[in-house]
Amino acid sequence: MALSREQVAMRVAQELQDGYYVNLGIGIPTLVANYVPDGIEVMLQSENGLLGMGPYPTKAELDADMINAGKETVTAATGAAIFNSADSFAMIRGGHVDLTVLGAFEVDQNGNIASWMIPKKLIKGMGGAMDLVAGAKNIIVTMTHASKHGDSKLLESCSLPLTGVNCVKKIVTDLAVLEVKDGAFHLLERAPGVSVDEIISKTAGKLLVDGDVPEMVF
């Protein structure tokens, strides 16, 4: 079975390392804050000026002034700092973010990402995505493996306007974990109950499968 949004976030959280500064994009990436593994400390950054995001608040903890990039209310972790968005983007552009997790419409086998617009549809602008994919040391993309119409989102070449070039290192979809290197997708893990053949059929770009592919473990 395909992973739920929460399970995708849980799997991404396994990529966090102690001491990381991590930016979480809008959508599934924001859920990662709820699944930081025990025993490690990470500082979650929101480009609107919060460094040290905690998990989503309970009703008692809710503060309407404490929000993430998706305008959702969040909590502040111990040691958190609040500053203006100019300082936040200086941190991003200066290469001080270890990992960025963001969604995408398409990713191709060369690590290019299209995440900010679909032509002829209303858009609000690129936002911080271009800075994030250019400034972070590592990029992980979360998305569904295929569109609601069944079209693959993992392509030989992106068809939509690009957000960044040769920047995506790893992808966690509802079907698989893939690494992007040497002009191909490399299948690392598959969702429990999902076959390699299904993943192959839903990947339009070059996909390399080396031996037995383990199921994800949560």
Side-chain angles (χ1 to χ4, degrees):
M1 293 180 61
L3 300 181
S4 67
R5 290 164 54 88
E6 289 75 17
Q7 288 173 315
V8 171
M10 290 170 65
R11 178 58 188 84
V12 172
Q14 295 177 21
E15 301 294 316
L16 304 178
Q17 296 184 26
D18 192 43
Y20 263 16
Y21 291 95
V22 182
N23 182 281
L24 301 178
I26 298 170
I28 293 175
T30 60
L31 300 174
V32 174
N34 288 336
Y35 302 108
V36 176
D38 294 335
I40 71 169
E41 291 187 10
V42 296
M43 293 296 279
L44 303 178
Q45 191 233 24
S46 176
E47 61 258 35
N48 59 346
L50 172 60
L51 177 63
M53 283 190 295
Y56 286 112
T58 64
K59 188 174 182 180
E61 296 171 326
L62 194 147
D63 180 349
D65 291 326
M66 187 73 66
I67 59 173
N68 62 21
K71 308 294 190 295
E72 300 169 307
T73 52
V74 294
T75 58
T78 301
I82 297 172
F83 37 86
N84 65 40
S85 61
D87 289 335
S88 184
F89 275 93
M91 179 180 177
I92 293 167
R93 293 167 181 166
H96 304 295
V97 173
D98 297 296
L99 172 65
T100 284
V101 184
L102 73 166
F105 298 129
E106 298 173 346
V107 175
D108 70 28
Q109 64 196 37
N110 293 306
N112 301 325
I113 177 174
S115 68
W116 72 282
M117 73 168 293
I118 297 175
K120 299 182 180 180
K121 289 196 175 183
L122 181 66
I123 61 170
K124 297 180 180 179
M126 186 171 283
M130 183 171 61
D131 294 280
L132 288 164
V133 299
K137 298 171 185 175
N138 190 14
I139 311 292
I140 296 178
V141 168
T142 67
M143 62 182 188
T144 56
H145 210 95
S147 71
K148 61 183 179 181
H149 303 295
D151 299 321
S152 178
K153 294 184 178 181
L154 285 80
L155 307 175
E156 181 179 350
S157 180
C158 288
S159 64
L160 297 173
L162 296 182
T163 308
V165 175
N166 299 331
C167 57
V168 176
K169 307 297 185 185
K170 189 170 284 187
I171 306 163
V172 181
T173 76
D174 55 341
L175 302 182
V177 178
L178 307 103
E179 185 178 10
V180 184
K181 64 179 181 180
D182 302 326
F185 300 110
H186 296 252
L187 183 57
L188 303 182
E189 300 174 21
R190 54 192 174 88
V194 173
S195 69
V196 171
D197 286 342
E198 180 179 355
I199 296 167
I200 291 172
S201 71
K202 294 182 178 179
T203 306
K206 182 179 180 181
L207 175 64
L208 299 181
V209 181
D210 186 13
D212 293 332
V213 180
E215 291 187 348
M216 300 180 205
V217 177
F218 298 98

